[in-house]
Amino acid sequence: MSAPRQLKLGAFLMATGHHVAAWRHPDVPADAGLDFQHYKHLAQVAEAARFDALFVADSVAAATGEQASRMARSDHFEPLTLLAALSAVTDRIGLIATATTSYNEPYHVARKFASLDHLSGGRAGWNLVTSDAAAEALNFGREAHLGHAERYSRAREFEQVVRGLWNSWSPDAFVRDKASGRYFEPGKCQVLDHHGEHFQVKGPLNVARSPQGYPVIVQAGSSETGRELAAETAEVVFTAQTSLADAQAFYRDLKNRAARLGRAPEALKIMPGLFVVVGASRAEAEDKFAEFQDLVLPEVGIALLGRMLGNFDLSGYPQDQPLPELPLTDSGQQSRQRLLTQLSREENLTLAQLGRRIAGGRGHFSVIGTAGDVADQMQAWFEGEAADGFNILVPHLPGGLEDVAYQVVPELQRRGLFRREYAGSTLREHLGLPVP
């Protein structure tokens, strides 16, 4: 008899927290972005709660300018460096880092993540993204991003090359036989010799096959092109969905696309973002969230909105008027632009109200209430085939993560929806994914 299906949980760490004004709160260390002890505490809290993985996003540009100067988003650790350090102070929890295909080379990414997988004993995951922050292009010899279609074409080939490099060596290739003098078996090395539209890579990789076969591949795109790439290549998909019905439709669509490509449904885990504020009562949770909302300057919320809509400058539009009609972004996330535009229309929000509305969850589904309220929503989405698990976002760190670990997780465990102990030691084992 197979074990009952259980939720997968990721802890999405963003320095001071996901709320744009979190750094201003008295309970939040404003310098958290460069405080390793802060991250060490977060990692150990999440591991003690038996989370599947930590997730760290990234941008290869510093946010600058007047509005950016009011956000804690311009100084933070490079994710792979941070997760390598965290691998030494944790034992089981997965370690997922973002690395863009727009401004990296496949060999570098393959080598770094294979190294992290070895360092951590098989706990690495790569969040494959195409860059959407406009400023990143200026740091890599370009005036603007590649167009949306070309970015995804490059990403698809990039992933193929990385996967090919991870397959450079058979698991038993390195015999290291001192008596015979043979370090590796030449016949157990596969030279990639890739020649494509975007890359030419000879190989092989100078890292042995990693403990998981290769690190878990994660993606976050929800546009049509992004869904196709995810169905072809991803093992975990992070997504932003605002309602149970939308999440169910996305879930069915991704699983069906994967099935048409010959992939088993369980080989693709779908984990929507879930923004959580926990209180002993709903009123307490709402009061807690209101403390953060009161710290949001209107111009900061609007600046965040413009960035998330696809790198638009909205500073010249009236704050008390609806979101203006905007062209489809070619440099940003098209799926997030559609989601936020729909949210603005459905709730009839002004520009300032929409900026304030997304200041915490950034368009992700939000639950503000007791641990039971949060568990109820998670259970409904999980059992309603809208999610295989969730990537948890909290307004502030460390307090928000501690609330989830100490209050929500025990409630999920009581309901039999989440593990009490790790059954395996690798990220693939936690997620129930096969070794390639």
Side-chain angles (χ1 to χ4, degrees), residues 187-231:
K188 295 184 177 181
C189 173
Q190 304 295 324
V191 177
L192 182 61
D193 199 21
H194 175 88
H195 295 268
E197 179 183 357
H198 301 281
F199 304 106
Q200 294 187 33
V201 182
K202 182 72 173 179
L205 192 65
N206 59 347
V207 182
R209 191 170 184 85
S210 71
Q212 295 187 101
Y214 52 72
V216 173
I217 297 176
V218 182
Q219 288 177 28
S222 296
S223 66
E224 176 63 26
T225 312
R227 293 186 193 206
E228 277 300 300
L229 181 62

Side-chain angles (χ1 to χ4, degrees), residues 134-156:
E136 294 186 27
L138 304 177
N139 290 332
F140 296 90
R142 296 188 59 85
E143 292 299 317
H145 284 325
L146 298 172
H148 189 271
E150 189 173 357
R151 288 206 313 276
Y152 274 94
S153 171
R154 177 184 167 96
R156 182 174 282 102

Side-chain angles (χ1 to χ4, degrees), residues 9-10 42-54 83 85-96 116-117 119-125 212 216 418-431:
L9 291 182
L42 298 176
Q44 293 178 340
V45 167
E47 184 169 67
R50 306 300 185 252
F51 272 69
D52 292 80
L54 306 174
L83 293 183
L86 291 177
S87 75
V89 295
T90 55
D91 297 309
R92 297 289 190 89
I93 195 164
L95 306 165
I96 301 172
L116 180 60
D117 210 41
L119 285 169
S120 63
R123 296 186 281 140
Q212 295 187 101
V216 173
F418 191 64
R419 69 170 70 85
R420 293 183 181 274
E421 295 294 339
Y422 290 114
S425 60
T426 70
L427 180 55
R428 287 188 177 279
E429 288 174 321
H430 301 341
L431 295 172

Side-chain angles (χ1 to χ4, degrees), residues 110-285:
R111 187 184 188 207
K112 291 174 182 177
F113 279 93
S115 296
L116 180 60
D117 210 41
H118 279 284
L119 285 169
S120 63
R123 296 186 281 140
W126 170 35
N127 181 40
L128 183 164
V129 302
T130 67
S131 286
D132 66 340
E136 294 186 27
L138 304 177
N139 290 332
F140 296 90
R142 296 188 59 85
E143 292 299 317
H145 284 325
L146 298 172
H148 189 271
E150 189 173 357
R151 288 206 313 276
Y152 274 94
S153 171
R154 177 184 167 96
R156 182 174 282 102
E157 186 179 338
F158 195 112
E159 188 275 341
Q160 292 168 353
V161 175
V162 169
R163 195 188 297 255
L165 289 169
W166 282 338
N167 284 324
S168 292
W169 303 95
S170 297
D172 57 350
F174 288 90
V175 292
R176 302 184 183 94
D177 187 340
K178 293 184 178 182
S180 69
R182 176 76 71 188
Y183 193 79
F184 68 86
E185 295 289 353
K188 295 184 177 181
C189 173
Q190 304 295 324
V191 177
L192 182 61
D193 199 21
H194 175 88
H195 295 268
E197 179 183 357
H198 301 281
F199 304 106
Q200 294 187 33
V201 182
K202 182 72 173 179
L205 192 65
N206 59 347
V207 182
R209 191 170 184 85
S210 71
Q212 295 187 101
Y214 52 72
V216 173
I217 297 176
V218 182
Q219 288 177 28
S222 296
S223 66
E224 176 63 26
T225 312
R227 293 186 193 206
E228 277 300 300
L229 181 62
E232 291 176 19
T233 63
E235 297 173 286
V236 177
V237 173
F238 294 153
T239 179
Q241 304 296 330
T242 57
S243 70
L244 174 61
D246 289 344
Q248 287 171 324
F250 181 86
Y251 187 95
R252 285 193 302 270
D253 181 56
L254 259 291
K255 297 282 185 172
N256 288 338
R257 289 176 192 244
R260 287 197 297 271
L261 295 169
R263 301 183 63 193
E266 60 272 15
L268 179 62
K269 307 298 181 184
I270 298 174
M271 298 174 63
L274 180 65
F275 179 75
V276 174
V277 184
V278 185
S281 66
R282 291 181 187 177
E284 181 183 298

Side-chain angles (χ1 to χ4, degrees), residues 286-401:
E286 289 166 357
D287 288 345
K288 186 182 293 188
F289 183 58
E291 289 182 19
F292 294 99
Q293 291 293 82
D294 289 344
L295 297 173
V296 179
L297 300 171
E299 58 270 27
V300 170
I302 292 171
L304 175 67
L305 175 64
R307 161 73 184 84
M308 295 191 62
L309 283 166
N311 304 303
F312 292 101
D313 180 3
L314 301 177
S315 60
Y317 293 95
Q319 295 184 0
D320 60 353
Q321 294 299 308
L323 178 70
E325 291 290 332
L326 299 171
L328 182 65
T329 179
D330 196 45
S331 65
Q333 298 181 42
Q334 294 181 356
S335 58
R336 189 60 60 91
Q337 183 185 26
R338 283 190 284 267
L339 184 150
L340 295 178
T341 301
Q342 179 183 350
L343 180 65
S344 172
R345 291 170 180 166
E346 288 179 349
E347 299 189 9
N348 194 28
L349 301 173
T350 66
L351 203 57
Q353 288 170 336
L354 183 58
R356 182 181 170 91
R357 175 76 165 75
I358 68 163
R362 291 174 171 73
H364 290 277
F365 186 65
S366 300
V367 183
I368 301 171
T370 65
D373 293 332
V374 177
D376 285 345
Q377 291 293 336
M378 295 173 78
Q379 184 168 5
W381 282 45
F382 180 60
E383 295 180 347
E385 295 189 335
D388 295 309
F390 297 92
N391 206 19
I392 300 296
L393 297 73
V394 295
H396 67 305
L397 291 169
L401 181 62

